[in-house]
Amino acid sequence: MSTKKQKAASAARFLDRALELPVGTVSGGATVILHSDREVIVDGCRGVISCSEEEIKLNIGNRGLVTKGRGLMIKNLTDREITIAGCIASIEFC
Amino acid sequence: MLLIKIIRLILGYVKVNLWGKYPERFLNVCASRGIKVWNTRRQGDRIEFCIFAKDYKKLRQLRLRCPVNIRHKRKYGLPFVAKKYRYRTGLAVGLAIYVVALVMMPKIVWGVNVSGNERISDSELQSALRNIGIYSGAKIEDIDAANMRLRLALLLPDVSWAAVNVDGAFVNVEIREADNRQDTDNTPCNLVANCDGRISAVYVKQGTATVKVGDGVRKGDLLVSGTEQYTSGITKFRHSDGQIIAETERTLTVSVPLNQVRSRCTDKIQTRNVLTVFDYDLPLYIGSVNFDYSLKTEEIPITVGNTKLPLTITQGQFRERVKSNYRLTEKEAETKGLETLKKLEKEEFAEFEILKKEVKTQSQKDKLVLTATYLCKGDIAQKEYIYISG
């Protein structure tokens, strides 16, 4: 990541903290909603990196999000949001 | 998310198989181009997903950007079913009729149920109801129960009370008939003879008898006068009433042709059905019956449970009838003539007692004529109203 982008990101994070806004309001991170271990909704997803029944890897901007489990499937996919259904074992940021 | 599934089925969708290099990239491209993708899952080296049918053609263009292969696996939804049956116009017509019926039927009267009538016949009542706008096929919104029950009572004088209730698609009409009204006719009248005869008894309830027992009278003669004149010069008119019993002579003539035509039914039967929807008859056959026939009809109402639908199938059996000529002997003709005479006696002399009967037969060219002379006893009085002018 270039120095300019890093500066902009740190400034956005500073604003989030200073104005006591929810994290990601200004900095623009992804929102992850987990419904039990059956469904995860990722708002702010920029694309699917890989997809299998055991692991689905997503691009959420500066990091990746890995959902692991069994019988995973992409229930719904739009340009901003993705819904993953199945038996979810873990969610990792990488 | 049943609603979403229904919408997808109505719009139609395709299950697609995707394989090749970086199939996930192709999914991202689809999503970025506004193509909705759902139920994406990995099946070995392939990815299976669903898209709307209208978006399937767009995939071809997008495929050029990614080194992947696409093949549709299965099609779902209404557009594909409709395409499959596009040449079956009957289905479309049936569906259209169903939709129209679904929209129209709740707004129309399916049937009229009538109760409470004893003296007034069903047909007379149905006819009166039709005149005031209550019939199968009438619009329910046009039925003004309060107004119509009054109109019905006005239309049928024998109805003393009526109720009109709309129950779903049926109209229930309940009536009460008026008590038998006594004869309150007080119009001044005379009693005159309705035929020639000799008086054998006089019973006068009101009026002045102008004949006595043993008198001979001709048709039209005054029997009981409704005019009463007092010595003071005042004339009063009364409604004459009574019975004037007289012996009368009457004649009946029956002519029996010797050449007769006999019709016989054969085993040839053609059955024709007519579907009656409300008041409209739809023939369920083609062509006409090309022989002389006797017709027997049977109405089969179509019901669902206890509910009678406004549909009736009328089944008509046309049985071929063959005519043949034959000649009666004089004796057969006489027997037939006497039978006819008996029937006529019952009709003509229902209120008379037959004292004497004499039958004469006369053979003519092609017929036998029976002339019966009767001596009858009965009431010959007939009312004749007095019209007062000025």
Side-chain angles (χ1 to χ4, degrees):
Chain A
M1 198 182 286
S2 65
T3 323
K4 253 187 182 178
K5 278 187 180 176
Q6 278 179 345
K7 277 184 180 174
S10 69
R13 280 197 295 275
F14 170 77
L15 267 175
D16 278 346
R17 279 199 305 275
L19 298 171
E20 294 185 356
L21 293 169
V23 177
T25 309
V26 183
S27 55
T31 306
V32 181
I33 302 166
L34 187 65
H35 289 150
S36 181
D37 63 343
R38 291 285 157 191
E39 190 176 82
V40 59
I41 300 167
V42 182
D43 186 18
C45 168
R46 296 190 182 178
V48 182
I49 298 166
S50 70
C51 171
S52 72
E53 285 206 307
E54 288 77 33
E55 186 183 282
I56 294 174
K57 196 181 268 186
L58 306 176
N59 174 13
I60 56 166
N62 52 355
R63 300 183 78 175
L65 183 108
V66 182
T67 307
K68 289 182 181 174
R70 281 182 286 112
L72 297 180
M73 65 177 283
I74 300 170
K75 200 173 163 188
N76 197 21
L77 174 67
T78 63
D79 57 339
R80 285 285 302 165
E81 194 183 278
I82 185 167
T83 308
I84 297 167
C87 184
I88 295 159
S90 68
I91 296 172
E92 290 173 18
F93 291 91
C94 57
Chain B
M1 292 294 132
L2 181 69
L3 189 64
I4 290 173
K5 280 184 183 172
I6 291 169
I7 291 168
R8 283 172 182 167
L9 281 171
I10 290 169
L11 295 176
Y13 67 94
V14 186
K15 195 176 261 186
V16 180
N17 268 336
L18 175 71
W19 71 98
K21 267 190 176 180
Y22 311 119
E24 291 87 357
R25 190 184 157 202
F26 184 78
L27 292 177
N28 295 332
V29 172
C30 287
S32 65
R33 293 297 171 97
I35 295 172
K36 283 191 167 54
V37 175
W38 69 90
N39 287 356
T40 309
R41 68 175 81 219
R42 172 73 75 169
Q43 299 278 349
D45 60 336
R46 297 178 180 211
I47 287 180
E48 189 182 276
F49 64 96
C50 296
I51 55 163
F52 281 116
K54 65 180 175 63
D55 292 332
Y56 185 70
K57 281 181 183 172
K58 292 181 190 171
L59 292 187
R60 287 183 188 170
Q61 293 169 349
L62 298 179
R63 196 166 68 95
L64 301 173
R65 293 164 166 261
C66 310
V68 289
N69 296 308
I70 300 165
R71 184 163 292 169
H72 76 265
K73 192 177 176 185
R74 204 172 161 188
K75 299 167 183 173
Y76 300 89
L78 190 62
F80 301 109
V81 176
K83 194 178 176 186
K84 191 176 171 185
Y85 295 109
R86 66 188 181 280
Y87 297 120
R88 302 202 175 196
T89 47
L91 279 175
V93 171
L95 189 68
I97 291 171
Y98 170 73
V99 171
V100 169
L102 205 65
V103 174
M104 294 298 293
M105 292 299 264
K107 297 177 182 174
I108 290 174
V109 175
W110 286 21
V112 181
N113 301 321
V114 175
S115 62
N117 57 319
E118 287 172 7
R119 293 195 310 276
I120 303 168
S121 67
D122 277 358
S123 58
E124 193 184 347
L125 196 53
Q126 294 281 5
S127 169
L129 288 170
R130 173 169 283 277
N131 284 340
I132 62 170
I134 300 174
Y135 53 90
S136 293
K139 283 184 184 172
I140 288 176
E141 64 181 21
D142 291 347
I143 291 178
D144 179 0
N147 179 25
M148 282 174 167
R149 71 188 193 90
L150 294 174
R151 283 172 64 195
L152 182 65
L154 285 172
L155 208 61
L156 296 173
D158 281 350
V159 173
S160 63
W161 174 87
V164 176
N165 298 309
V166 179
D167 181 13
F170 290 86
V171 177
N172 297 325
V173 178
E174 201 179 335
I175 64 160
R176 294 277 179 278
E177 289 175 347
D179 290 339
N180 275 332
R181 289 167 193 169
Q182 286 184 342
D183 186 12
T184 53
D185 186 7
N186 285 321
T187 314
C189 67
N190 296 321
L191 294 182
V192 296
N194 62 11
C195 60
D196 301 348
R198 194 174 63 83
I199 308 296
S200 59
V202 176
Y203 307 105
V204 178
K205 288 182 188 171
Q206 199 163 233
T208 312
T210 58
V211 290
K212 58 183 187 295
V213 175
D215 286 357
V217 291
R218 293 190 71 80
K219 187 181 178 183
D221 283 357
L222 183 65
L223 303 176
V224 178
S225 172
T227 315
E228 206 168 329
Q229 197 157 18
Y230 293 92
T231 48
S232 59
I234 297 168
T235 304
K236 276 198 169 180
F237 296 99
R238 293 186 187 281
H239 178 83
S240 299
D241 194 8
Q243 281 187 322
I244 309 297
I245 310 297
E247 286 175 8
T248 62
E249 200 170 87
R250 293 173 184 238
T251 309
L252 288 177
T253 307
V254 172
S255 174
V256 184
L258 295 177
N259 293 323
Q260 296 274 331
V261 179
R262 179 193 289 144
S263 68
R264 182 176 58 85
C265 288
T266 65
D267 292 337
K268 188 178 176 183
I269 297 172
Q270 278 193 18
T271 306
R272 299 287 166 94
N273 294 323
V274 172
L275 176 69
T276 308
V277 184
F278 295 109
D279 281 351
Y280 302 101
D281 292 338
L282 302 170
L284 304 176
Y285 59 87
I286 298 168
S288 58
V289 179
N290 297 321
F291 50 79
D292 191 20
Y293 58 81
S294 66
L295 176 63
K296 187 180 162 191
T297 57
E298 189 188 357
E299 282 195 355
I300 306 162
I302 297 172
T303 55
V304 176
N306 292 327
T307 308
K308 191 181 164 194
L309 298 178
L311 303 170
T312 308
I313 290 181
T314 307
Q315 200 175 60
Q317 278 197 341
F318 296 81
R319 191 164 197 155
E320 190 186 32
R321 204 168 52 184
V322 178
K323 287 180 179 171
S324 58
N325 296 322
Y326 67 102
R327 191 174 172 84
L328 291 174
T329 62
E330 284 205 0
K331 197 164 185 181
E332 286 172 336
E334 191 181 343
T335 313
K336 196 170 182 180
L338 286 171
E339 281 172 10
T340 316
L341 268 178
K342 265 189 182 174
K343 282 180 195 168
L344 277 174
E345 278 169 20
K346 278 184 185 171
E347 289 170 14
E348 297 284 325
F349 311 139
E351 292 172 2
F352 286 88
E353 182 191 348
I354 297 170
L355 302 173
K356 197 176 160 190
K357 177 181 170 184
E358 196 179 336
V359 183
K360 282 181 186 172
T361 56
Q362 190 187 357
S363 180
Q364 291 183 4
K365 194 183 174 186
D366 269 334
K367 61 184 177 183
L368 190 76
V369 179
L370 283 88
T371 310
T373 312
Y374 300 87
L375 183 64
C376 305
K377 191 178 175 184
D379 185 12
I380 60 163
Q382 179 187 321
K383 280 179 187 172
E384 190 182 69
Y385 289 100
I386 302 167
Y387 295 102
I388 304 160
S389 61

